[in-house]
Amino acid sequence: MSALPHSAASRHFDVIVIGGGAAGMMCAARAGQRGRSVLIIDHATKLAEKIRISGGGRCNFTNLDVGIANYLSRNPQFCRSALSRYTPGHFIELVRRHGIAWHEREHGQLFCDDSAQDIIDMLRAECGDGHVSWAMPCKLEGIERSDGDAARFVLATSHGQFSCQSLVVATGGLAIPKIGASPLGYKIAEQFGLAVVAPKPALVPLTLPPEELAIYKELAGMAFDAIAECGAGHFRENLLFTHRGLSGPVILQVSSYWQARDYGGDDGSSQITINLFPAQDVRQWLAEHARSKALLGNLLAERLPRRFAHAWCDARNWNRPTNQFNGKELDAIATALAGWRISPDGTLGYAKAEVTLGGVDTRALSSKTMEAREVPGLFFIGEVMDVTGHLGGYNFQWAWASGHAAGLAA
């Protein structure tokens, strides 16, 4: 890691990147390797903590199947260009070149065999190859526009004043404040007249209203396979009960769509629909067991966790022998099992969120370069933008792709 130069002349850089996370280091490395003088400014004392803790400490660094359908944005086509020009294959090649061992898990997710620190070390090495300088920890105190083409921006910091031709904002979103998340990037955007789509926690556990929580809170820790849907979101993974409501991968996935229900294209539903029989035709299954003398809860326990099956039936006054239900009632039960509707009353917030939904409105940015159209030299990359990926390596791939795009242009 290059030390910060101290001479007066070295206070000017071609590119300054605010934020030393995934997108910021990718951008800085690419710009530096093009021959641009680059400085990364970051307020943290530890480098790239969000990478370090990701994927259970092994960093789910990308996904083999990436497309615009894996992202939410008010400008849904925006991410297409960058993702097509820097693909998972490009990042995998970089990982291989640095000798990092990795493996594939379900749904095309790729993880380090050893540690997320391998990805941090790789990005730091790439920055080293580009002779990137660092100011860290360093607090940004203010930004001003400059009239000169060479020095379009002047930054006041705890390390003194710096100037640059290109300023790249890679400050991330509001998720996981305990490792330093802040609204700094949004404030910079607003300072320069760019709109910000109101941020919300995404990929986040959901809370249930008290009356529903009372039914299921004793099931905390129980998990099972399910399909969850909300608006355009449709996912099949594990659902997990918690002391506050629902979590697990399928809920984290659909939570983004529940939070984004005011986005164009969604149906505006405040409900989430859960299919408790994701692998079977529930109507046919119930018809085959219509003459069973078993309590419905006991019958459902053949396919669902027993305690959940009974709690679910008890809440609907359905826990009686199955053969006592008529055809119309069995049809209603089948409909409920395939479409259990829940109405969350909130989320566990940014402290438990994986990422932030919303951010800098991409309609003000170039999809090719990430540069603000009305503010030459100002770029936004990564999570600070209104581009939010699904769970499973998609947000890291957006960091790499957007950082790469800006690094080639800044």
Side-chain angles (χ1 to χ4, degrees):
M1 189 182 295
S2 301
L4 176 68
H6 295 287
S7 67
S10 66
R11 290 282 163 173
H12 175 76
F13 294 84
D14 295 325
V15 182
I16 293 179
V17 179
I18 304 174
M25 282 196 283
M26 173 61 83
C27 176
R30 290 295 161 261
Q33 291 171 20
R34 289 172 50 225
R36 304 283 276 170
S37 61
V38 183
L39 171 68
I40 292 179
I41 293 174
D42 197 297
H43 69 284
T45 56
K46 292 184 178 180
L47 180 63
E49 276 290 276
K50 197 163 186 181
I51 296 178
R52 187 185 64 78
I53 66 174
S54 66
R58 292 195 174 180
C59 188
N60 178 193
F61 56 80
T62 192
N63 195 291
L64 292 177
D65 182 21
V66 172
I68 64 169
N70 302 116
Y71 295 87
L72 287 83
S73 174
R74 293 241 175 128
N75 184 14
Q77 295 295 320
F78 177 83
C79 61
R80 183 186 296 275
S81 175
L83 290 171
S84 67
R85 287 180 292 118
Y86 194 83
T87 67
H90 289 108
F91 195 77
I92 291 168
E93 177 56 33
L94 182 64
V95 167
R96 284 176 171 152
R97 181 150 46 87
H98 282 262
I100 298 173
W102 55 274
H103 60 277
E104 179 183 351
R105 296 187 190 173
E106 67 279 0
H107 308 299
Q109 302 171 86
L110 303 189
F111 289 78
C112 297
D113 281 359
D114 298 321
S115 168
Q117 187 64 43
D118 291 340
I119 299 295
I120 299 173
D121 293 344
M122 177 191 77
L123 293 168
R124 188 168 57 183
E126 288 288 308
C127 287
D129 289 345
H131 306 289
V132 173
S133 296
W134 297 76
M136 182 181 175
C138 179
K139 181 181 178 182
L140 179 66
E141 298 170 347
I143 304 172
E144 293 183 1
R145 290 283 294 274
S146 175
D147 294 332
D149 288 337
R152 291 169 172 162
F153 304 94
V154 177
L155 283 65
T157 79
S158 58
H159 284 209
Q161 182 173 290
F162 301 102
S163 63
C164 62
Q165 182 184 45
S166 296
L167 179 63
V168 183
V169 180
T171 51
L174 300 176
I176 321 181
K178 69 180 181 181
I179 61 172
S182 83
L184 175 60
Y186 310 140
K187 292 179 179 178
I188 295 172
E190 290 170 344
Q191 175 185 342
F192 290 100
L194 279 71
V196 175
V197 177
K200 300 177 183 179
L203 300 181
V204 62
L206 299 174
T207 59
L208 291 174
E211 62 275 12
E212 197 153 13
L213 186 62
I215 301 170
Y216 301 109
K217 66 180 180 180
E218 298 302 321
L219 305 181
M222 178 181 293
F224 54 83
D225 184 31
I227 292 172
E229 298 181 69
C230 183
H234 178 101
F235 303 94
R236 178 179 174 182
E237 294 189 62
N238 268 3
L239 178 150
L240 172 70
F241 286 92
T242 73
H243 292 291
R244 299 281 303 279
L246 299 175
S247 187
V250 76
I251 294 298
L252 298 185
Q253 294 280 33
V254 83
S255 72
S256 296
Y257 288 84
W258 183 74
Q259 286 286 69
R261 56 194 182 274
D262 56 342
Y263 275 31
D266 275 346
D267 64 3
S269 173
S270 62
Q271 293 185 320
I272 290 172
T273 302
I274 297 174
N275 184 345
L276 298 171
F277 270 59
Q280 194 165 11
D281 184 329
V282 64
R283 280 179 169 77
Q284 179 181 337
W285 185 81
L286 277 176
E288 292 170 355
H289 295 81
R291 297 183 180 180
S292 172
K293 296 180 181 179
L295 292 175
L296 181 61
N298 288 338
L299 182 65
L300 293 180
E302 295 180 13
R303 292 289 182 273
L304 296 165
R306 176 171 294 276
R307 287 193 300 142
F308 170 75
H310 281 279
W312 191 86
C313 289
D314 289 343
R316 292 160 177 77
N317 294 315
W318 279 348
N319 218 356
R320 61 182 192 265
T322 307
N323 61 3
Q324 292 184 11
F325 294 99
N326 61 35
K328 186 176 180 180
E329 289 171 325
L330 286 175
D331 190 60
I333 292 168
T335 297
L337 288 166
W340 175 31
R341 294 185 177 273
I342 61 169
S343 298
D345 67 352
T347 76
L348 291 188
Y350 290 114
K352 298 297 182 181
E354 299 273 346
V355 293
T356 305
L357 183 77
V360 178
D361 194 331
T362 60
R363 289 171 288 195
L365 308 176
S366 163
S367 62
K368 182 178 180 181
T369 66
M370 311 294 126
E371 185 176 19
R373 293 194 183 93
E374 302 299 323
V375 189
L378 180 63
F379 300 76
F380 292 85
I381 57 175
E383 189 183 339
V384 73
M385 311 161 73
D386 176 33
V387 176
T388 305
H390 292 169
L391 188 70
Y394 298 102
N395 287 292
F396 273 128
Q397 187 58 37
W398 175 244
W400 315 138
S402 61
H404 181 265
L408 295 180

